[in-house]
Amino acid sequence: MVRLLAAIRRYPFVVATLLVAAAAQVLTLTARGEFSRWLLAGFALLIAARSAWAMVRELRAGTFGIDILAVTAIVASVVVGEYWAALVIVLMLTGGEALEDYAANRAKRDLTALLSRAPQLGHRMTADGATEDVPIDAVVPGDRVVVRANEVVPVDGTLMSELGVFDESSLTGESMPVERSTGQEVLSGGVNGRTAVVLQVTRAAKDSQYQQIVALVESATASTSPMVRLADRIALPFTAVAFAIAGVAWLVSGDPVRFAEVLVVATPCPLIIAAPVAFMAGMSRSAREGAIVKSSATLEKLHRARTFAFDKTGTLTQGEPSLVDVRTTGTIEPDELLRLAASAEQFSAHVLAAAVIKSASGRGLPLSGSTDAEESTANGVTASIDGHTVVVGKRSFVSATVGQEIPGTPLNSGELAIYVAVDGTSAGALVFRDEVRANARATIDNLRAQSIHRIVMLTGDDRPTAVHVASTLGIADVRANCLPIDKVNAINAITERPVVVVGDGVNDAPVLAAADVGIAMGARGSTAASESADVVILRDDISRVARAHTVGCETVNVALQSIWVGIGLSVILMIIAAFGMLPALIGAWLQEGVDVISILWALRASTGSKETHPPLVATVAEALPVAVS
């Protein structure tokens, strides 16, 4: 009963149409047919006037009013005495809003499910150890919050409890729960286990992992696609054709009823509803498969994409280089060289900096601070450490900084080196190995199978390392030793467009913004990269890139199909009606069927083709149970 009342309040004109139909039928059965006709005609003309006024407002706003077909069909049906046909058209008009609402909600259910589960409150601890429920935006870094059993972690924080178990499948795609111990980071969006834990907040809600994903989803649900505008452009010639067929039918037959019969089957719901539903369904499907598409226009660009460019470190490779060797060229001991390098690298956001620090920590080496550290993006860091001037980074950067050529260290296939100078003299090199992702080659092959023939690799690494990785993946076009501006220039020079760029780090943000479509590996990538991108991959899985391209192609194809299926069926019905073979009432019901077929066809974009590789372990929405209440 509650749902029924809610539906009545939400769709009053649909309910009114059904009540008028029932009343008219009763009047007909009680031999009061004249009153029945007046009721049907009056109500139909009233709704026609309402739609006409709305159409006038659209025209004033510069949008063509496609409802002119429906309005004309209602008036024509009333004039020629086809009152029940007029009421069916009214039902189409009033029910179209409800149908669109249902179809749109069905299409974007994975997106809206994510939004509906966003935490609204946090259990903040007070000075006396009690908890108080506060709006999530009121929680600030330094606060302590309690996350109860089976609740979504509302903000990023450090675990203060001895042990916590979290389901992070929505963030990483890992199906098994992960354990965190005291002092380890816990990301928002994960789901706490069966025991309440205490976190010390490290980021405000708006900066936390979950809220950033929610912001991406909100922007996605508000977007408009070029394909939707294409439907608007098709509407004008479609209307002209419908009027032409109706006019010729009237002129040739001399029967004005023929004019009404043609227009009754020419109503434009497939154009109004089908394309937006298809794009929202595609975006919802993409979210379900682990990629948030910020704009429906991005799907259309993915459909037309001709070139893909990949960053190397952290995108094509694991992004977790392991230390192979510490090679010294002076009197500094290997452990001391690693300690100095790691101390300087504390001030860098590059993925290799994290690897240096992790290696030093693994050896139990104490790191020192610096007050004058300066990073050259994608090159290296200069810092004063314990009274020494330490330069860490690419060989060319270290050479230029110290004013002398630093000799290269021998490397095996797949290895890369970070060079270190101390007090203006070469001190040695740190050698790392970064393994290529296991599914990177399959992803490249998948893209080629989808007619992407040009694939480029962009990297700041030296050419020997870059060429080794590229040859493993079958990539011939390699751009090595690239600064961020070099990557941007390389993308701008590509003529086979649209160009899709895939990256993950801070230094990838400019090139992602410059690309026609930027895809950020957001599971471990930087916030800057995610903000610059058009698509954010939520899981540390590069195969999602190829799937995003597949979704874009299939969504656009389904949107076009749904438009042309609706138009084609309508034109066939108009021609049949023009020959007097389709009574107005039957034609009106058949047109309702055309609307349903077009929308159901558009909803096919939410499923698409079957995957040829193992399915994802969980969807974004399914992995997030009831949020903090």
Side-chain angles (χ1 to χ4, degrees), residues 544-576:
R544 298 298 98 191
V545 172
R547 288 299 299 167
H549 179 254
T550 299
V551 171
C553 292
E554 294 183 353
T555 297
V556 173
N557 290 337
V558 168
L560 285 170
Q561 291 164 8
S562 63
I563 291 173
W564 292 115
V565 163
I567 289 177
L569 291 175
S570 294
V571 170
I572 291 171
L573 292 177
M574 281 190 284
I575 293 172
I576 294 173

Side-chain angles (χ1 to χ4, degrees), residues 12 18 27 33 267 319 340 349 355 358 406 420 489 625:
L18 296 176
L27 289 172
T267 47
L340 291 174
K358 181 179 179 181
I406 302 296
V420 186
N489 291 337

Side-chain angles (χ1 to χ4, degrees), residues 552-612:
C553 292
E554 294 183 353
T555 297
V556 173
N557 290 337
V558 168
L560 285 170
Q561 291 164 8
S562 63
I563 291 173
W564 292 115
V565 163
I567 289 177
L569 291 175
S570 294
V571 170
I572 291 171
L573 292 177
M574 281 190 284
I575 293 172
I576 294 173
F579 285 95
M581 301 168 61
L582 196 59
L585 182 57
I586 296 177
W589 283 114
L590 286 175
Q591 181 57 42
E592 289 282 3
V594 171
D595 297 344
V596 172
I597 290 172
S598 298
I599 290 170
L600 291 177
W601 197 287
L603 285 172
R604 291 172 58 245
S606 66
T607 55
S609 63
K610 301 293 184 182
E611 294 192 61
T612 57

